[in-house]
C-alpha cells in the first residue's frame, strides 16, 4: 500500500509566520479567580497523579529506568509522600529500549576513554552482545513478565505516547500489539518496547483493575477513591502531553503533517507533526475526560519547542541577524565543515519555524482549555513549559542576544547548579574524559532531561502547587515554610551525567557518531514518539 500524499503546511501555520516569538504565560491562574472552598479540609488520599509521555515517565539517555527520580517522583519526595507514590519500575540492562549511558560505560570499561579505529570492529561486536543480552532479558527473560502491583500507579506517563494514545490505549491493546519475539542478529532491538513499557504503567486485570482501562480511566478511578466527606480523591493532577505530536520532526529529521486518519492508532504512525486543528480536536476530547476526574487541582503543561532540543543542531550561522533559526538542523556530531544537505538528514530553518508555530498554536489551545475551566470555577492552572525551555535555550537566545524577544529573560539556575564548575546549559552534553565540559540539562539522547533538568521542571511545578495552596511537609509531618525548594544537592548526587559522565563522550561526539553509524543507535532509542 502506497504512502498517502504528503500534505502541505497547514494554513493556520502559514498565516502565523509573520508573528513574533510567543510570549510565555506568566500567571498560572490566567488572572481568573476561583472559589477555593476546599481550604481547611484534609488533603485527598492521592496527593499527586500525573498523566503524560516520556517527560512524565522519566525517560533519559534513550531508556526508561530511573523512574524513582522522574519529575513526579521528585515532587512526591518533596511533598513528604515519596513512600506512598506508586510508579512503574524497569530493572535489568538499563531499562527500555536501550540505555545509551550504560552502553557507553560498558565500552569505556572495555576499550578505555578513546576508541581507536582499529578497535571499532571489537567495540561493534561488544555493543551487539550488550544489545543481545538486553533483548533476551526483556523479550524472553525476567523482563517479559509484568509485575503485579498493590494498586493503580500514580505516575501514568508512558514514553512515546501522543494525545491519541492517552485517549485510546489500554493494557489489552498494548498486550495484543506485542508480536512473537524474534532473535535477529542484524536487528537486535527489543520488539514492541513501547508496549512492553506501557504494560508496567497501565492497570491490568486483577488487583490493578480492568485491563481495558486507559490512563485517563485509571486516574478517574483514583479520583473516586475518596473519603465520604470529600469531593476529590486526587489532590493535584498534572497533565503533560503533546510533545510527541511534534517530536519526530527532530528525532527523524522529517516533517510530515497529520492527515485525516490522525485519530487512528495505526494510521497516525507515519506523521511527525500534527496540524493545529487536529491537535485542538484531540485536546478538546482529552480536556473533556480530564474534567471527569475528581482532582482538587489540575495543572496543564504546555508543549516545549522541540527544535530547541540539542538532538537537532543548527548548522553554521543563523539565517539572518536577529533570527531564531539556522538554515539547517542536523545531528550534533555532524560538523559544519562536513555537513552536506544532499547527504545528511536535516530539516530546514523554515521547517523549524513552522514546527514552532504549530506548537505555539497547540499551546494556545491548551491555554484556552485552562481558561474555560477556570471560568467554570475549576481550580486549573497553566505551567508554561515552552516558556521555561525558551529561557534556557542556549543557542537560540543565551548565545545570541540579537535573537532575544523583548520579553526574554534568562532562567536563574538553582544556586546548587549555578555553583558547579560548569553550570549546566542546553547544549549537547560533552566531556573531555575527566568531567563534563558543556551541556548538562539534556541527557545523552539529546531530547530528554538529565536528572537535574527534571529537577528544574519539578521546581516550577512545585511553585504552581504552592500557588494552589498545596502543603509540602517534612518527613516528620510538619509543614514546610515557603519557599519550598527542590533538594538539588540530592539530585546532583544521583545525576551521573552531571558528576561523572562517560569518559568516552568526547567533544567531537566520535563515539555517538560511531554508535549511530554502526548499530543505528537513534533508530533503537528515539525513532518512536519520545
Amino acid at each position: 500500500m502506497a504512502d498517502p500524499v504528503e500534505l502541505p503546511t497547514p494554513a493556520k501555520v502559514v498565516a502565523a509566520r509573520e508573528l513574533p516569538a510567543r510570549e510565555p504565560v506568566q500567571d498560572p491562574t490566567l488572572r481568573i479567580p476561583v472559589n477555593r472552598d476546599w481550604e481547611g479540609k484534609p488533603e485527598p488520599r492521592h496527593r499527586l497523579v500525573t498523566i503524560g509521555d516520556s517527560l512524565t515517565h522519566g525517560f533519559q539517555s534513550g531508556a526508561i529506568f530511573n523512574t524513582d527520580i522522574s519529575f513526579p517522583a521528585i515532587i512526591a519526595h518533596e511533598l513528604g509522600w515519596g513512600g506512598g507514590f506508586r510508579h512503574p519500575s524497569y530493572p535489568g540492562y538499563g531499562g527500555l529500549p536501550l540505555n545509551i549511558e550504560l552502553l557507553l560505560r560498558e565500552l569505556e570499561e572495555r576499550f578505555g576513554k578513546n576508541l581507536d579505529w582499529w578497535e571499532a570492529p571489537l567495540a561493534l561486536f561488544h555493543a551487539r552482545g550488550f544489545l543481545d543480552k538486553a533483548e533476551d532479558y526483556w523479550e524472553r527473560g525476567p523482563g517479559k513478565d509484568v509485575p503485579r502491583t498493590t494498586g493503580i500507579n500514580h505516575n501514568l506517563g508512558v514514553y512515546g505516547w501522543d494525545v491519541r494514545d492517552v485517549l485510546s490505549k489500554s493494557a489489552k491493546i498494548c498486550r495484543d500489539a506485542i508480536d512473537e519475539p524474534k532473535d535477529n542478529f542484524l536487528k537486535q532491538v527489543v520488539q514492541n518496547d513501547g508496549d512492553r513499557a506501557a504494560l508496567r504503567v497501565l492497570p491490568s486485570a486483577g488487583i490493578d483493575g480492568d485491563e481495558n482501562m486507559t490512563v485517563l480511566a485509571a486516574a478517574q478511578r483514583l479520583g473516586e477513591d475518596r473519603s465520604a466527606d470529600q469531593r476529590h480523591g486526587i489532590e493535584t493532577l498534572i497533565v503533560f502531553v503533546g510533545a510527541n505530536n511534534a517530536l519526530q520532526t527532530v528525532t527523524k529529521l522529517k516533517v510530515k503533517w497529520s492527515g485525516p486518519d490522525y485519530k487512528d492508532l495505526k494510521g497516525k504512525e507515519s506523521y511527525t507533526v500534527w496540524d493545529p486543528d487536529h491537535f485542538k480536536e484531540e485536546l478538546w476530547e482529552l480536556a473533556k475526560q480530564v474534567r471527569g476526574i475528581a482532582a482538587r487541582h489540575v495543572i496543564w503543561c504546555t508543549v516545549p519547542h522541540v527544535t530547541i532540543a540539542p538532538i537537532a543542531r543548527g548548522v553554521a550561522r543563523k539565517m539572518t541577524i536577529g533570527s531564531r533559526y539556522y538554515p539547517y538542523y542536523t545531528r550534533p556530531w555532524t560538523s559544519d565543515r562536513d555537513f552536506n544537505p544532499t547527504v545528511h538528514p536535516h530539516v530546514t530553518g523554515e521547517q523549524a519555524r513552522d514546527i514552532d508555530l504549530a506548537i505555539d498554536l497547540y499551546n494556545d489551545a491548551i491555554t484556552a482549555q485552562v481558561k474555560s475551566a477556570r471560568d467554570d470555577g475549576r481550580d486549573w492552572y497553566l505551567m508554561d513549559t515552552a516558556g521555561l525551555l525558551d529561557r534556557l535555550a542556549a543557542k537560540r537566545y543565551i548565545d545570541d542576544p540579537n535573537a532575544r524577544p523583548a520579553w526574554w529573560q534568562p532562567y536563574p539556575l538553582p544556586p546548587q547548579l549555578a555553583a558547579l564548575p560548569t553550570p549546566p546549559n542546553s547544549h549537547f552534553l560533552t566531556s573531555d574524559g575527566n568531567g563534563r565540559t558543556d551541556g548538562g540539562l539534556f541527557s545523552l539522547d539529546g531530547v530528554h532531561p538529565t536528572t537535574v533538568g527534571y529537577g528544574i521542571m519539578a521546581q516550577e511545578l512545585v511553585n504552581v502547587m504552592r500557588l494552589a495552596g498545596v502543603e509540602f511537609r517534612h518527613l516528620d509531618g510538619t509543614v514546610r515554610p515557603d519557599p519550598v525548594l527542590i533538594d538539588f544537592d540530592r539530585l546532583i548526587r544521583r545525576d551521573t551525567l552531571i558528576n561523572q559522565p562517560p569518559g568516552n563522550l568526547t567533544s567531537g561526539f566520535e563515539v555517538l557518531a560511531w554508535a549511530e553509524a554502526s548499530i543505528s543507535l537513534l533508530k533503537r532509542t528515539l525513532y518512536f514518539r519520545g
Side-chain angles (χ1 to χ4, degrees):
M1 181 177 177
D3 289 337
V5 176
E6 293 196 15
L7 300 176
T9 304
K12 284 187 176 180
V13 174
V14 174
R17 285 175 177 169
E18 302 305 317
L19 296 177
R22 172 184 175 271
E23 183 172 356
V25 175
Q26 302 294 338
D27 185 351
T29 71
L30 306 181
R31 300 179 181 176
I32 302 172
V34 295
N35 179 25
R36 295 164 62 146
D37 58 357
W38 54 267
E39 289 185 317
K41 297 180 181 178
E43 69 263 1
R45 289 175 178 168
H46 304 286
R47 300 209 61 197
L48 178 66
V49 175
T50 56
I51 294 171
D53 50 36
S54 56
L55 294 172
T56 302
H57 206 175
F59 200 95
Q60 59 181 215
S61 293
I64 183 67
F65 62 109
N66 278 339
T67 50
D68 63 318
I69 44 175
S70 63
F71 84 74
I74 294 170
I75 295 172
H77 175 84
E78 302 297 342
L79 279 168
W81 193 59
F85 184 74
R86 294 192 292 267
H87 57 82
S89 62
Y90 301 87
Y93 289 94
L96 282 166
L98 172 61
N99 190 319
I100 301 171
E101 180 183 356
L102 184 57
L103 173 60
L104 291 183
R105 293 190 188 281
E106 287 260 333
L107 293 175
E108 181 184 12
E109 182 178 351
R110 185 71 176 266
F111 301 99
K113 295 180 180 179
N114 297 307
L115 181 67
D116 295 321
W117 66 267
W118 53 269
E119 293 178 305
L122 290 174
L124 176 59
F125 182 80
H126 188 76
R128 288 192 181 280
F130 177 89
L131 293 171
D132 185 51
K133 291 177 181 177
E135 182 185 23
D136 286 344
Y137 178 86
W138 290 108
E139 290 182 358
R140 288 167 285 277
K144 71 178 177 60
D145 298 321
V146 179
R148 294 174 67 85
T149 63
T150 57
I152 293 172
N153 281 314
H154 295 110
N155 188 346
L156 295 169
V158 183
Y159 78 73
W161 279 19
D162 58 29
V163 180
R164 175 47 50 184
D165 297 318
V166 169
L167 288 166
S168 299
K169 284 191 174 180
S170 65
K172 185 178 188 307
I173 288 175
C174 292
R175 189 176 291 109
D176 290 346
I178 295 176
D179 303 318
E180 184 68 26
K182 300 175 183 178
D183 195 1
N184 189 329
F185 177 77
L186 297 177
K187 190 180 180 182
Q188 287 172 324
V189 59
V190 180
Q191 290 176 234
N192 308 108
D193 60 279
D195 293 310
R196 294 177 191 276
L199 287 176
R200 291 173 175 253
V201 176
L202 289 158
S204 299
I207 195 169
D208 291 328
D210 183 355
E211 67 174 358
N212 291 301
M213 290 172 65
T214 65
V215 292
L216 292 163
Q220 185 174 10
R221 182 74 61 83
L222 292 172
E224 293 167 352
D225 180 20
R226 56 185 184 267
S227 59
D229 62 342
Q230 289 185 332
R231 291 187 294 119
H232 307 103
I234 299 170
E235 183 174 22
T236 302
L237 171 66
I238 297 173
V239 183
F240 191 4
V241 65
N244 289 307
N245 291 86
L247 182 60
Q248 285 195 105
T249 55
V250 293
T251 59
K252 286 187 173 181
L253 291 176
K254 178 181 179 181
V255 177
K256 185 175 181 181
W257 295 96
S258 59
D261 57 347
Y262 66 94
K263 291 188 176 184
D264 183 78
L265 288 175
K266 288 291 185 182
K268 70 181 178 63
E269 288 183 352
S270 67
Y271 303 132
T272 64
V273 57
W274 263 237
D275 181 314
D277 284 339
H278 295 164
F279 183 89
K280 185 177 180 180
E281 181 72 18
E282 297 279 75
L283 182 70
W284 181 88
E285 187 175 341
L286 175 62
K288 181 180 178 181
Q289 292 200 39
V290 170
R291 282 175 176 253
I293 298 172
R296 182 178 284 180
H297 320 288
V298 179
I299 303 173
W300 287 79
C301 299
T302 60
V303 178
H305 291 123
V306 298
T307 56
I308 291 174
I311 190 60
R313 185 185 68 84
V315 176
R317 298 178 180 178
K318 298 280 186 73
M319 296 171 67
T320 59
I321 294 176
S323 174
R324 287 171 279 165
Y325 302 105
Y326 293 82
Y328 298 101
Y329 292 78
T330 191
R331 294 296 174 227
W333 47 81
T334 302
S335 68
D336 290 352
R337 182 187 66 253
D338 294 336
F339 175 73
N340 183 339
T342 65
V343 174
H344 295 105
H346 66 274
V347 296
T348 67
E350 290 83 0
Q351 289 174 318
R353 175 201 59 199
D354 286 348
I355 295 163
D356 281 355
L357 291 174
I359 290 172
D360 288 344
L361 292 169
Y362 300 171
N363 291 335
D364 287 346
I366 294 171
T367 304
Q369 288 294 340
V370 174
K371 180 181 183 304
S372 175
R374 291 192 70 85
D375 285 339
D376 292 342
R378 295 175 178 269
D379 202 30
W380 285 21
Y381 297 84
L382 187 77
M383 205 291 261
D384 202 335
T385 323
L388 170 63
L389 185 57
D390 284 350
R391 296 178 66 194
L392 289 165
K395 294 193 71 173
R396 179 163 297 186
Y397 293 133
I398 295 175
D399 300 343
D400 185 3
N402 292 320
R404 299 172 185 172
W407 51 260
W408 188 87
Q409 292 291 328
Y411 183 84
L413 290 175
Q416 299 95 321
L417 299 184
L420 292 173
T422 303
N425 59 50
S426 66
H427 290 150
F428 203 99
L429 192 143
T430 61
S431 167
D432 62 2
N434 298 309
R436 182 176 53 88
T437 56
D438 203 359
L441 293 180
F442 284 89
S443 64
L444 294 178
D445 57 33
V447 173
H448 299 92
T450 55
T451 298
V452 299
Y454 278 123
I456 290 174
M457 292 172 53
Q459 182 65 70
E460 292 302 305
L461 285 160
V462 165
N463 295 344
V464 178
M465 292 169 71
R466 283 298 302 130
L467 182 65
V470 175
E471 288 188 348
F472 288 73
R473 298 195 179 92
H474 297 290
L475 292 179
D476 63 4
T478 58
V479 176
R480 294 173 59 175
D482 287 325
V484 174
L485 300 177
I486 298 293
D487 183 358
F488 274 94
D489 288 327
R490 179 179 81 98
L491 299 186
I492 290 171
R493 290 194 298 271
R494 291 291 306 271
D495 197 329
T496 54
L497 294 177
I498 286 291
N499 57 56
Q500 193 179 2
N504 54 3
L505 184 64
T506 66
S507 60
F509 307 107
E510 288 94 342
V511 173
L512 286 180
W514 168 84
E516 167 63 3
S518 302
I519 60 173
S520 301
L521 185 74
L522 289 179
K523 288 184 180 180
R524 300 175 193 277
T525 60
L526 291 177
Y527 282 9
F528 51 79
R529 291 183 175 87

